[in-house]
Amino acid sequence: MSAQQALEQAPGAVSDRELRDNVKATRARGASEGEIATLVQKYAPLGNLCDIPPWMRAEFLAASEKIGCPAHFFPIAQRLIEIAADRGGKFVLCGFGEAPDTGKTISPQIVHLPNKGEPAFMYRQFDSAIRRLGKTPGLNTYVMPSLVLADLPEGSRGKEGDVIGVLALVLDFDDKQKPATRHDRLPVYPHAEVETSPGNFQCWYFLDKPYSVAEVKPIIAALVAKVGSDPGCKTADHPFRIPGTLNWPSSIKIKRGRPPEPVMARLSDIADPSWQPTSITLDALKAAIVSKYPGADFTAQEKKVEADKDFDWDKRYAPLTLITDAEEALNDPKWADQRSEGCFALECRAWRSGYTGEEIIELMLDHSNTECMGHFGDQTDEARVRADVKRAFKKAFLEEK
C-alpha cells in the first residue's frame, strides 16, 4: 500500500477526500489563493496545522503567504498558548514602523491579549490582533515570547520587571550575525525558524514551561554570547517578528540599498516534520550549550549586578519622552568617522529624555546593526555598551551642574 493510499484509508479519510474534492472544484472555477486558504482553514477551525492533511500543508502556507494570512504563525502561537496555559498574565503584540510614503515614524501600537480562555479562543484573539496591526501600511508586527503582568497598563509594552513567565528563547541572525552559518554554531537545532527577510532568520526554542526572568537570563546571555546572535535577544522583554506578516523596510534601509517593497516573513522550518509540539527544559538547553561550548559563562549576569551595585540602572531622571528616530540618529552620515560620538550623543539624549539605564541599553542593542553601533565590534559587546551608557549619565547630568 502506498503512503497516499494509507493516508486516504486512515481515520478521517472521508474529510480528507472531501477537502481534496472541494479544493479541486474551487481551483477549477478559477478561485483566488485567498479562497483556497480560507477553504483549508475551515478544515482546521482551531488554527491547528496538525489538523491539516500533510498533502495540503505546503499549499496552505504558500496560499496564506500570498494573501497575508498569518497561517505561518499557527505553530508558534499554538506552542506559546500551550506553554502559557493556566498561568494568567497577558501576551503582548507590538507594531512599529514608518509610513511608506513619507518616512515618518508611525505611533507605536501595542495590543494586550489576556491569557485566558480555550486555545481556540486564544488563537482567534491572536489572529484578530495580527490582522488589525497588519492593516497599517509600514507597520511591522512583533510578539513577545513571554507573559507579562495581568495589570500591565494598556498601551505599555512592558519591561523585564513586568514579565511573569518566559515561554521561549529566540535568537536573531541578520547580516551582521552571519546567518548562513547559524546552524554550525547552535547547540540544539531550532524548534522553529522564521525567515524575517531573504537570508535572515530568527530561531525559536520553546520551553517546557514558563520560567522566571532570573532563571532564563544566565542561559540566554551565555547562548547569545557563544553563537553570536543579535545581543538584543538577551532581554526577556524583546519582541520578535511574526511570520506571515509583512517586513517593511525603514527609510534608512532603503537608502542603504534595500528595495522599498515589503517582503513576507515566513515560517521557513520546523524541527518536527509531523508538526507536533516540541520543547526543551532550561537544564537540557544549558547542558547542550556546555557540551558544545565547554567554556560558556553562566555567571555574566551575576557579575554585572555586582559591578553595578553602586549605580541605579532602573531610575528615571526626567519625564519620559519616547525616542522614535534612533535608527536614523545612529546612521547619520555626520558620524561616519566618529561612530563612538554618535552612540554617545544618543545615550546622553536618552538619559535626558527620561530613559532608565536599562532602557537605554535595550535601545542601543535593538539597533546593533546601525553604522554607529559598529563602534562596539562586529558582535556588539554589551559590557562596552553598558560602560558607555554609564559614562553618558555623567555627561548628561553631573557635568551640567
Side-chain angles (χ1 to χ4, degrees):
M1 180 184 297
S2 69
Q4 185 64 41
Q5 291 172 324
L7 173 63
E8 293 177 353
Q9 293 182 22
V14 173
S15 295
D16 277 358
R17 173 66 71 180
E18 290 176 348
L19 180 59
R20 288 174 189 274
D21 292 343
N22 286 339
V23 169
K24 184 177 180 180
T26 303
R27 283 208 178 284
R29 63 178 177 80
S32 67
E33 294 292 349
E35 290 178 89
I36 298 296
T38 300
L39 175 62
V40 180
Q41 204 163 11
K42 289 180 180 178
Y43 184 88
L46 303 187
N48 190 341
L49 279 172
C50 295
D51 290 343
I52 296 176
W55 62 268
M56 193 63 195
R57 289 174 190 159
E59 184 169 5
F60 180 40
L61 290 177
S64 67
E65 184 170 333
K66 292 180 180 179
I67 63 170
C69 169
H72 281 252
F73 188 53
F74 285 179
I76 292 176
Q78 285 171 18
R79 294 302 294 124
L80 295 180
I81 291 168
E82 289 167 358
I83 299 166
D86 301 320
R87 297 303 182 110
K90 295 191 287 192
F91 290 98
V92 177
L93 281 74
C94 318
F96 307 103
E98 299 175 354
D101 52 345
T102 65
K104 292 183 178 180
T105 300
I106 301 171
S107 297
Q109 297 185 29
I110 310 296
V111 179
H112 292 177
L113 301 181
N115 178 33
K116 58 184 179 181
E118 294 298 318
F121 172 76
M122 287 302 303
Y123 172 72
R124 288 195 295 271
Q125 294 291 94
F126 269 110
D127 183 77
S128 176
I130 292 169
R131 290 177 184 277
R132 187 162 69 251
L133 291 171
K135 288 181 179 179
T136 302
L139 202 67
N140 292 289
T141 309
Y142 307 86
V143 63
M144 281 174 53
S146 304
L147 289 173
V148 299
L149 294 165
D151 60 356
L152 181 70
E154 290 296 325
S156 173
R157 194 184 101 183
K159 296 297 180 182
E160 280 193 334
D162 301 308
V163 172
I164 62 171
V166 180
L167 311 174
L169 304 185
V170 187
L171 301 174
D172 193 1
F173 296 91
D174 284 334
D175 289 341
K176 193 174 181 180
Q177 290 84 38
K178 302 175 182 176
T181 61
R182 67 193 183 284
H183 290 155
D184 296 334
R185 292 173 276 152
L186 293 172
V188 180
Y189 196 84
H191 298 153
E193 283 195 328
V194 177
E195 187 173 24
T196 55
S197 60
N200 298 316
F201 298 88
Q202 290 177 349
C203 303
W204 285 71
Y205 293 105
F206 300 111
L207 300 174
D208 63 309
K209 64 179 183 178
Y211 288 87
S212 69
V213 173
E215 292 173 303
V216 167
K217 287 284 279 189
I219 308 298
I220 189 62
L223 184 59
V224 169
K226 286 301 181 183
V227 305
S229 70
D230 188 319
C233 302
K234 291 182 182 180
T235 60
D237 59 350
H238 191 79
F240 294 92
R241 191 175 297 279
I242 294 177
T245 64
L246 292 176
N247 181 337
W248 293 86
S250 65
S251 54
I252 293 295
K253 291 181 179 178
I254 293 173
K255 289 178 183 177
R256 288 159 61 180
R258 179 168 161 177
E261 296 78 19
V263 296
M264 184 72 72
R266 67 189 189 92
L267 181 69
S268 55
D269 193 14
I270 193 162
D272 189 328
S274 66
W275 300 66
Q276 296 302 313
T278 307
S279 63
I280 191 169
T281 67
L282 270 187
D283 285 343
L285 183 55
K286 182 177 181 179
I289 296 171
V290 171
S291 177
K292 189 172 184 67
Y293 299 105
D297 182 6
F298 297 95
T299 63
Q301 184 68 13
E302 296 174 13
K303 293 175 181 176
K304 177 184 77 67
V305 172
E306 178 65 23
D308 296 333
K309 64 182 180 180
D310 62 333
F311 191 81
D312 191 345
W313 288 92
D314 296 311
K315 185 174 180 178
R316 207 177 296 284
Y317 293 88
L320 180 61
T321 302
L322 291 178
I323 294 175
T324 59
D325 63 342
E327 183 175 9
E328 183 176 358
L330 292 172
N331 279 311
D332 194 321
K334 73 179 181 181
W335 304 120
D337 299 319
Q338 306 174 73
R339 295 185 299 178
S340 63
E341 292 301 314
C343 291
F344 198 66
L346 182 61
E347 292 160 359
C348 289
R349 176 184 162 198
W351 277 118
R352 296 187 182 113
S353 297
Y355 280 65
T356 68
E358 290 294 346
E359 289 171 347
I360 298 174
I361 291 169
E362 182 177 354
L363 178 70
M364 303 303 286
L365 294 181
D366 279 349
H367 295 87
S368 61
N369 287 326
T370 55
E371 294 296 329
C372 285
M373 287 297 287
H375 163 67
F376 296 108
D378 288 341
Q379 300 297 331
T380 306
D381 185 342
E382 184 181 343
R384 289 180 60 191
V385 176
R386 186 170 291 276
D388 213 44
V389 170
K390 192 172 182 179
R391 185 168 64 91
F393 171 77
K394 181 178 179 181
K395 180 73 175 178
F397 292 110
L398 301 186
E399 292 184 1
E400 290 183 341
K401 300 176 180 179

